[in-house]
Amino acid sequence: MGIIFNQLKKKNRVKLYNQQLEDLVQSDYDKMYRIAFSYTHDHQQALDVIQDSFQKALVSFQKIEKIDNFQAWFFKILVRTAIDDWRKHKRQPATVEMNDWQGFEYLDKNEKISHLELQSILEQTPSPDREIIVLKFFEGFTLYEIAQILDMSESTVKTKMYRSLNTLRHILE
Amino acid sequence: MTASKKYLSLLNQAYNEIELPASIREEIGGRLQKEQKRFRLKKQKQKIGMAFLTVSSLFGLFLAGIVFNSDIRAFASEIPLLEKLVPILTGETYQKENPQSEINIKVPKIDSKSDITTRLNAAYLAEGQQAYQQALEQLKQFENKNISVSGTFEKIVDDERFLVLNRKMTTIAADNSEKNHYDTVDKKNNVVLSLPLLFKNASYLPVLTDEIKEQMRKRIAEDSSIVYWAINGAMKEELSLTAKQNFYINKEHQLVISFDQFEVAPGYMGKQEFIIPTEKLKDVLVDKSYLAE
């Protein structure tokens, strides 16, 4: 009897997880796309990365008893999948001559960084600093959420966050 | 710090320049649906792989040499007819138990002397043995982790005209899977029924299909939580019946079509059965009076 009851509980759990994922797509589809794209630099690849993440999530639904923060849980999968994809394809950084940069002077004059330039900057930023920059400064996740997504303590995230700001400045100077 | 802040905001701007293509939300939603369907199909395939009841051997015994004939009575045998109430005993029990898993398969034995029962009993025994062997294989594959395989049987109908036996195999492993197999014996004519035997020709298949789909629609209309793949599934899957479809004759002598869990609806709906009004079959039945009004 116990076995049958557990099976029912599991079925309902999986149903709930599926619903949560569907809801998350509706609310966070843009985050998913931009994060994936910032690694793949290609529309189809970005969608594939997202689809792979869905597949991994669906498999996990069968095994996991409880998901505390569904959004963080899924984005952990998405970020990891994106990183794996990036490593696999060792994407060529956008060819922007960093030597032309005059750092802040350039910014003062031009008031704009192009997307390609951003790509290049991010490519030169090592993980997990890169993820922290994207998640915190671009996508607006909280330190606590980032800690869950990247599987580190909040204090570690904070430390790395300040360090990553410095890294950025060095890249540009 | 202001330079950094300003420059961060520029980076932010650049980031947000990532163009969100038109209808990207729908596209991503579509990708999720694709994966969900793939996953569901994968699970269904696993379940079919775990099915132990083999309809084919039993059909082989009785359909071999049987020609499409318009008169069922032509199959009547010389041997005495089955008596009114037919006891079904447990013939053999195949069992194996260890801390995490269990196999328990009870083979029915029809306690009545007749040509038909001898053949049926022999078939049940053979299938029980086969099911037991397959269960042992599955245990090995799953490394004995929490599997329970149980085979039981149940008498559904036992009156002057019919004996209906249901053999049920339930496998509880990573998920739950139940398979039913019904045998309907026509006592008067001493024959085990098969769908083709009841009908003039293959035109009964679309008639049954339409009737069942009609009933599915009615059920959905009455209860919106009901889902049938063929009618309102996320991905439509056509209902396709074959001569080997699970069926039986009920107490009221009507035709009942029975689908196992997962066959025509999501798992939570369980087994699905449809009683076919004899009215609807009038044009395709070999013998219009064979089934009750």
Side-chain angles (χ1 to χ4, degrees):
Chain A
M1 252 310 140
I3 299 175
I4 297 176
F5 183 62
N6 283 335
Q7 293 304 317
L8 264 169
K9 269 207 310 202
K10 180 183 166 187
K11 275 196 175 100
N12 288 333
R13 214 167 48 219
V14 172
K15 210 170 160 194
L16 173 66
Y17 291 155
N18 268 287
Q19 190 58 57
Q20 283 180 292
L21 187 52
E22 285 161 28
D23 291 345
L24 191 67
V25 166
Q26 290 305 306
S27 62
D28 284 12
Y29 68 98
D30 50 347
K31 282 184 161 64
M32 291 181 191
Y33 184 79
R34 281 192 301 256
I35 290 175
F37 191 91
S38 73
Y39 286 91
T40 65
H41 310 312
D42 174 89
H43 173 69
Q44 281 309 319
Q45 268 310 120
L47 287 175
D48 287 349
V49 160
I50 295 174
Q51 195 170 339
D52 282 351
S53 310
F54 288 153
Q55 192 216 21
K56 290 176 187 168
L58 289 175
V59 170
S60 297
F61 286 168
Q62 300 293 320
K63 302 182 186 145
I64 298 194
E65 291 250 339
K66 194 170 198 293
I67 299 178
D68 283 322
N69 181 337
F70 192 87
Q71 186 197 37
W73 180 81
F74 178 75
F75 275 95
K76 186 181 345 195
I77 297 177
L78 180 63
V79 167
R80 282 189 186 160
T81 309
I83 293 174
D84 285 344
D85 179 81
W86 185 75
R87 286 202 189 114
K88 215 190 298 174
H89 292 100
K90 268 295 189 274
R91 301 194 174 273
Q92 299 303 320
T95 47
V96 170
E97 287 305 308
M98 292 313 284
N99 300 330
D100 290 343
W101 275 76
Q102 284 109 51
F104 290 111
E105 281 178 72
Y106 178 84
L107 288 177
D108 282 340
K109 284 187 203 138
N110 294 295
E111 297 286 333
K112 195 162 166 23
I113 298 177
S114 78
H115 180 61
L116 279 177
E117 286 159 348
L118 172 68
Q119 252 177 256
S120 177
I121 293 166
L122 283 180
E123 303 265 344
Q124 292 173 60
T125 317
S127 291
D129 300 44
R130 174 183 177 169
E131 283 73 67
I132 293 176
I133 291 170
V134 171
L135 292 172
K136 175 100 188 81
F137 299 119
F138 302 158
E139 292 296 349
F141 282 97
T142 66
L143 287 176
Y144 174 71
E145 287 165 340
I146 296 174
Q148 289 184 288
I149 293 173
L150 298 181
D151 233 341
M152 35 179 87
S153 74
E154 237 185 286
S155 50
T156 313
V157 175
K158 209 187 277 185
T159 321
K160 288 189 189 279
M161 180 185 80
Y162 287 117
R163 216 191 57 188
S164 62
L165 284 174
N166 283 326
T167 317
L168 275 180
R169 221 180 300 146
H170 283 137
I171 291 174
L172 285 158
E173 277 170 4
Chain B
M1 268 320 246
T2 24
S4 278
K5 266 203 187 145
K6 170 185 183 174
Y7 137 67
L8 252 185
S9 82
L10 284 176
L11 284 176
N12 201 326
Q13 251 181 1
Y15 181 86
N16 282 301
E17 268 176 28
I18 293 177
E19 227 182 76
L20 288 179
S23 54
I24 185 69
R25 188 201 300 222
E26 286 75 37
E27 230 189 309
I28 294 179
R31 296 283 184 125
L32 175 55
Q33 280 187 329
K34 249 191 233 167
E35 282 305 321
Q36 283 172 322
K37 164 153 204 201
R38 247 185 63 189
F39 192 81
R40 206 173 62 221
L41 283 177
K42 198 171 82 165
K43 287 207 107 201
Q44 281 180 358
K45 281 202 188 120
Q46 282 174 352
K47 248 136 228 163
I48 292 172
M50 299 237 278
F52 299 124
L53 289 183
T54 44
V55 181
S56 48
S57 59
L58 192 59
F59 268 102
L61 279 177
F62 292 100
L63 281 186
I66 290 179
V67 177
F68 259 61
N69 194 303
S70 54
D71 190 355
I72 295 180
R73 289 167 219 286
F75 298 119
S77 88
E78 305 290 26
I79 287 126
L81 305 167
L82 290 179
E83 58 270 29
K84 181 127 190 241
L85 282 174
V86 183
I88 316 278
L89 311 174
T90 304
E92 286 282 326
T93 304
Y94 293 105
Q95 254 182 324
K96 185 185 172 75
E97 221 180 292
N98 66 47
Q100 287 160 312
S101 59
E102 194 198 331
I103 305 176
N104 190 310
I105 296 172
K106 292 187 173 64
V107 178
K109 186 169 176 186
I110 306 175
D111 190 20
S112 166
K113 293 234 166 36
S114 108
D115 193 30
I116 254 206
T117 55
T118 310
R119 284 193 284 176
L120 268 175
N121 287 338
Y124 290 155
L125 193 62
E127 282 180 320
Q129 282 171 331
Q130 189 178 29
Y132 181 64
Q133 288 309 317
Q134 281 176 315
L136 285 177
E137 283 300 315
Q138 290 292 335
L139 246 94
K140 256 194 230 130
Q141 257 187 49
F142 276 90
E143 284 156 29
N144 280 313
K145 283 196 191 71
N146 296 331
I147 294 196
S148 159
V149 176
S150 92
T152 57
F153 55 88
E154 194 191 343
K155 204 201 296 184
I156 310 282
V157 176
D158 189 4
D159 61 25
E160 283 158 338
R161 286 184 64 197
F162 299 106
L163 168 68
V164 179
L165 195 60
N166 178 21
R167 282 174 301 153
K168 202 175 352 182
M169 285 294 279
T170 311
T171 310
I172 301 173
D175 213 313
N176 216 335
S177 156
E178 189 191 85
K179 299 248 165 234
N180 293 280
H181 181 72
Y182 294 92
D183 290 316
T184 303
V185 179
D186 180 329
K187 288 189 191 179
K188 294 233 153 95
N189 297 301
N190 245 315
V191 85
V192 176
L193 291 186
S194 68
L195 275 180
L197 266 183
L198 295 171
F199 299 101
K200 291 183 203 167
N201 53 44
S203 63
Y204 72 92
L205 285 169
V207 171
L208 284 180
T209 309
D210 288 341
E211 172 58 26
I212 291 172
K213 277 164 83 165
E214 187 54 44
Q215 291 189 24
M216 283 180 174
R217 280 186 209 108
K218 282 208 189 100
R219 291 185 190 180
I220 291 170
E222 274 158 31
D223 179 351
S224 58
S225 73
I226 290 183
V227 172
Y228 287 110
W229 303 139
I231 310 291
N232 60 346
M235 299 282 182
K236 245 191 160 199
E237 275 168 32
E238 273 311 307
L239 180 66
S240 78
L241 299 183
T242 67
K244 298 197 176 180
Q245 177 60 45
N246 230 353
F247 78 97
Y248 62 93
I249 308 290
N250 64 12
K251 280 198 303 271
E252 287 76 37
H253 297 175
Q254 297 167 298
L255 176 66
V256 182
I257 301 291
S258 176
F259 296 100
D260 284 330
Q261 188 187 22
F262 295 106
E263 262 196 272
V264 292
Y268 68 85
M269 302 254 303
K271 180 169 85 169
Q272 291 292 306
E273 298 201 327
F274 299 87
I275 299 176
I276 313 294
T278 311
E279 241 317 291
K280 302 273 165 88
L281 301 173
K282 281 225 148 100
D283 292 330
V284 285
L285 274 172
V286 162
D287 180 353
K288 292 188 186 11
S289 61
Y290 191 76
L291 296 175
E293 291 298 317

